[in-house]
Amino acid sequence: MEYLDNLPPMDLMRSEKMTFVQLIIPVESAHRAISYLGQLGLLQFRDLNDEKSPFQRTFVNQVKRCAEMSRKLRFFKDQIHKAGLLPSPHPASQPDIELEELEMQLAEHEHELIEMNSNTEKLQQTYNELLEFKMVLQKASDFLVSSRSNSTVQEREMVENVYSNDHYADTASLLEQEMQPGPSVQSGVRFVSGIICKSKVLTFERMLFRATRGNMFFNQAAADDQILDPSSNEMVEKTVFVVFFSGEQARTKILKICEAFGANCYPVPEDVTKRMQITREVSSRLSELETTLDAGTRHRDKALTSIGFQLAKWMNMVGREKAVYDTLNMLNFDVTKKCLVGEGWCPIFAKAKIQEALQRATFDSNSQVGIIFHVMDAVEPPPTYFRTNRFTSAFQEIVDAYGVANYQEANPAVYTVVTFPFLFAVMFGDWGHGICLLLGALVLIARERKLGSQKLGSFMEMLFGGRYVLLLMSIFSIYCGLIYNEFFSVPFHIFGESAYKCRDSSCSDARSIGLIKSRDPYPFGVDPSWRGSRTELPFLNSLKMKLSILLGVVQMNLGIILSYFNARFFGNSLDIKYQFVPQMIFLNCLFGYLSLLIVIKWCSGSQADLYHVMIYMFLSPFEDLGENKLFWGQGVLQVILLLCAVVAVPWMLFPKPFILKRLHTEISRPHIWVTWNL
């Protein structure tokens, strides 16, 4: 035990020793000092204004300004993405600017972009209206010409059969009135032409039919071109329609329905010459608008490109400034209102670095008064800080995702570096897939410096952050894949010939029957002859299940042993006596014994049923094992182990709570001093 106590401390094995410090910072150097400390990342401030709301703090206006600038930067990013441009991953090398100057630049850029977007939206709306008008003129002309030709062919039959009736004007249908010759067509039948979204045509036609009680004629045709929606920046399919009707009341209903469905109505003259003239004018204006829109788009893309070169730098700057002011809001003013007072935790090894950063902040801010940094006593427990590097940081994040260790406890991430990728490989277990994973990890590590300076997506950032995890996972997967003899789920004779061969020349199915052992066992891993045999699944499933039991028992023992070293480090004898000892007894008397049986069965080649052994160890501990007996004295040993496991359960659950309650009662009991009056 003395040897264990005299071992040198390891940085990764336990969390760093922390100390509670206080800083007294002059106002003129506060911003620079907090910025330098933030870059160092070794000081955690306490919030001395936790009773105040965010709007009652000192630097709330600066935080609002940073939040407003962040909103503008997000607006620029959305505009760049909407325009199909890519922001530059490498910020342009330009001199640093002050926050006030950046705020003015962002305001100018935002005003310019909003104005350009407004103008572009108006021009695009005008362009859409003219394009719709042009398509309506073309399609409506076809409808009018076809209706006139149809009416000429059917005119004679309607004159002979229908028009002879004196009351025809009151009872004729709309289609018949449309085809009626003479001035009645011009005076009775009217039409409304327009364009509507393709998805609304069916409902629109049904509503028109019901509103006019069927007294209308509806023609439609798909528009030749799609229309750009300025709000969503998506192309929309539309349909041109012409509605023939009679009467002013029907016209009013149709126009209201068109307005309700968002249909745009356009006047189409009946005269062919006028239609052709209007079409030429619309086409001319469309070409002019196209030229204007292209020029405006090029100008906006040029402005967005110039913004994109600085966007990453500006976002980092604004985010850093907001973090600085959020930290300053955690500090308090002293009595003179000339200094800010802050408190926080820092690792002991970082005190020299923090003092150096504070001295540099004093010098750079030209302050006449230095920053006071001194250590204080604290009542509350310190936070947990683990020193990591680029190799161990990913494993530390995996462990922290499940729970952060208490202060000065053993760091599970050190053991996770090996156990996590190896347990993955036990499940993965394919050296073909492992090689693919290894190549991907090596590419990420080889381009580490280049990828580390770029802005990656969420998925790629996760892969890059776990590049060393992938490296170890791939190496262990290749190792376990060689043991399982699986290359993309196909076995190979990697380490020599199989230990089995066909019994004789009459053996027709050498993969299922007729195999005999002819030489020494396969040198490494699973013999390829197991693949395709009738006992493949029972053998491989039993092998992998038993390996999982062994690895699981080893890992659980490792966790319990770590709890022992934690209790020894903190001098907690209760945890050793009433937690570590009974847990080790209970675990190894049951699952440790099972692991021992698995190893003995592998070494001896016995056919014993371990399920039967473990079940009847509880149900019938004194029963004869029979053919399931693996070694001499097994029955007596099982009874002893079962009794130890039963004793370990109350030993682990009951004494410690009562002892803690008694200690708490003794500590909280008031001391009574008795004085004698002599």
Side-chain angles (χ1 to χ4, degrees), residues 128-137 139-140 143 192-201 204 218-228 236-243 257-259 261-268:
N128 290 345
E129 292 176 356
L130 291 175
L131 184 60
E132 291 177 352
F133 191 18
K134 179 182 177 181
M135 290 188 291
V136 169
L137 287 171
K139 299 297 180 181
F143 295 151
V192 171
S193 56
I195 191 168
I196 192 175
C197 291
K198 186 178 180 180
S199 58
K200 301 179 180 179
V201 172
F204 178 64
F218 186 84
N219 277 330
Q220 62 173 328
D224 297 332
D225 300 324
Q226 294 182 342
I227 306 298
L228 178 65
V236 181
E237 294 184 0
K238 294 203 172 185
T239 300
V240 178
F241 66 89
V242 176
V243 183
I257 294 173
C258 291
E259 183 180 359
F261 277 83
N264 298 326
C265 299
Y266 297 95
V268 177

Side-chain angles (χ1 to χ4, degrees), residues 583-631:
Q583 284 180 356
M584 289 293 291
I585 293 175
F586 183 82
L587 174 64
N588 290 289
C589 285
L590 299 181
F591 299 102
Y593 175 63
L594 175 61
S595 302
L596 176 64
L597 294 180
I598 291 173
V599 174
I600 294 176
K601 183 178 179 180
W602 279 347
C603 296
S604 63
S606 174
Q607 299 296 321
D609 187 1
L610 299 185
Y611 294 105
H612 184 277
V613 172
M614 294 303 297
I615 290 174
Y616 283 92
M617 178 180 173
F618 292 91
L619 297 180
S620 302
F622 301 102
E623 184 180 351
D624 186 18
L625 295 174
E627 61 182 7
N628 292 323
K629 187 175 181 179
L630 291 171
F631 55 89

Side-chain angles (χ1 to χ4, degrees), residues 520-581:
D520 293 334
Y522 196 68
F524 186 84
V526 176
D527 195 306
S529 294
W530 285 103
R531 299 292 180 177
S533 65
R534 290 178 297 179
T535 55
E536 175 189 2
L537 286 180
F539 171 73
L540 292 180
N541 289 346
S542 177
L543 171 67
K544 295 179 180 180
M545 182 189 69
K546 292 173 182 176
L547 278 176
S548 301
I549 293 174
L550 294 178
L551 294 173
V553 171
V554 170
Q555 188 167 10
M556 286 189 288
N557 274 288
L558 175 62
I560 298 175
I561 292 172
L562 284 181
S563 69
Y564 165 76
F565 283 103
N566 282 333
R568 184 175 178 82
F569 179 82
F570 292 109
N572 193 342
S573 60
L574 284 178
D575 287 347
I576 296 176
K577 294 178 182 178
Y578 302 105
Q579 184 173 318
F580 166 73
V581 175

Side-chain angles (χ1 to χ4, degrees), residues 427-460:
M427 297 180 289
F428 199 62
D430 192 301
W431 63 279
H433 291 96
I435 290 175
C436 298
L437 191 62
L438 176 63
L439 294 176
L442 290 176
V443 169
L444 292 175
I445 294 174
R447 304 181 64 186
E448 179 177 343
R449 183 172 300 178
K450 181 179 180 181
L451 294 175
S453 60
Q454 295 181 0
K455 182 68 174 178
L456 305 175
S458 58
F459 180 73
M460 192 63 190

Side-chain angles (χ1 to χ4, degrees), residues 492-529:
F492 282 92
H493 293 79
I494 308 172
F495 301 102
E497 295 296 328
S498 171
Y500 301 91
K501 69 175 183 179
C502 192
R503 180 184 298 121
D504 50 32
S505 58
S506 63
C507 181
S508 59
D509 190 3
R511 299 193 64 81
S512 59
I513 58 176
L515 292 176
I516 59 172
K517 190 171 183 179
S518 61
R519 56 178 63 89
D520 293 334
Y522 196 68
F524 186 84
V526 176
D527 195 306
S529 294

